[in-house]
Amino acid sequence: MTGDAVAPTFPFTPEAVEAARVMFARPVEFVMGAADVAQLPAPDLPEVAFAGRSNVGKSSLINALVGRSGLARASSAPGRTQQVNIFLLDERLRLVDLPGYGFAKAPKAEARKFQNLGRAYLSGRPNLKRVYLLIDARHGLKPQDVEAMDALDKAAVSYQLVLTKADKLRPAEAEAAAAQALAGVAKRGAAFPRVLLTSSEKGTGLAELRAEIAAACGLE
Ligand code: GDP
């Protein structure tokens, strides 16, 4: 359609991609970091959330999507992202940065606290349109990702896999990783049957992800 080799089944028109680009170029602001679901804003706008193992490239991806390098902060140490961080884009939708999971160095009790917060968020947000589950393209689905998918399937929350750091693989390897990830969600009820291949560093797949988010939020 747009000659994009990364996502040959990409279903959006060039107009939809452009509209999403414009929306993501609009003002974005940090709303709050919530340590408890009781602090979350009223569920009055569509939301999409980003989840994944620590260091998967979540902060980089959120920053790249909105073109603001310092917005979401990288979790270089356990404890940096213990909160659900909420951003408001174009006064129309919220981007939600969930705590990264699987930090081996985090104390057990702390790790459990992140998990509980993430789970409470995921099962209690009626305005949550989709969760983007980020997977490092080089590593594929890990046991903690499978656990996260189990929780999402159980809560019947729509989710989509996004492979990150695609630039670290050769194109054919990246395609194979995407195919493998897609096969990994084939039988999962709440998984969206399309996997996106992205690189925050090179900008790969960002236009597609913006269009996916706009469509998931009914903002095409
Ligand atoms: P987070 O812990 O999931 O928020 O991950 P970060 O966004 O902090 O990224 C973790 C590390 O991966 C950092 O060193 C980033 O520079 C690196 N990284 C993130 N995205 C990419 C990418 O698209 N390509 C490459 N090559 N490195 C990336």
Side-chain angles (χ1 to χ4, degrees):
M1 187 196 67
T2 53
D4 183 355
V6 170
T9 56
F10 184 63
F12 300 104
T13 61
E15 291 75 21
V17 172
E18 175 58 10
R21 186 192 68 76
V22 169
M23 186 168 81
F24 275 83
R26 303 274 304 153
V28 61
E29 64 185 87
F30 175 69
V31 178
M32 62 161 20
D36 193 291
V37 285
Q39 299 167 343
L40 292 171
D44 53 357
L45 287 175
E47 276 171 14
V48 293
F50 298 84
R53 285 155 49 85
S54 299
N55 217 40
V56 71
K58 187 157 51 70
S59 316
S60 304
L61 186 69
I62 293 171
N63 289 337
L65 280 171
V66 297
R68 288 266 307 272
S69 59
L71 190 70
R73 257 183 283 152
S75 54
S76 55
R80 277 297 288 277
T81 52
Q82 300 176 18
Q83 300 180 324
V84 171
N85 290 310
I86 304 197
F87 307 95
L88 175 66
L89 174 63
D90 195 20
E91 296 180 3
R92 287 205 281 174
L93 81 153
R94 295 194 194 98
L95 307 173
V96 178
D97 184 2
L98 293 176
Y101 50 80
F103 229 122
K105 280 180 274 181
K108 269 221 166 71
E110 207 177 329
R112 212 173 307 121
K113 205 177 110 200
F114 300 174
Q115 265 179 11
N116 291 344
L117 174 59
R119 271 171 211 252
Y121 169 80
L122 292 170
S123 56
R125 278 311 259 184
N127 55 330
L128 175 59
K129 300 302 181 187
R130 192 171 301 162
V131 174
Y132 292 93
L133 190 58
L134 276 45
I135 307 291
D136 190 315
R138 297 166 302 172
H139 303 148
L141 291 167
K142 295 285 186 191
Q144 283 142 333
D145 301 316
V146 172
E147 258 176 51
M149 295 194 299
D150 287 344
L152 289 162
D153 280 321
K154 198 166 163 214
V157 174
S158 167
Y159 62 97
Q160 183 167 10
L161 298 189
V162 175
L163 299 193
T164 59
K165 310 187 191 182
D167 60 282
K168 295 208 175 199
L169 293 175
R170 282 194 283 271
E173 292 172 332
E175 291 295 345
Q180 202 171 7
L182 188 59
V185 296
K187 295 205 173 77
R188 289 187 170 269
F192 203 75
R194 190 162 53 238
V195 170
L196 288 171
L197 202 46
T198 67
S199 162
S200 304
E201 203 130 294
K202 305 280 184 219
T204 314
L206 299 182
E208 289 83 352
L209 180 52
R210 292 184 190 111
E212 292 272 8
I213 292 170
C217 292
L219 298 171
E220 316 95 299

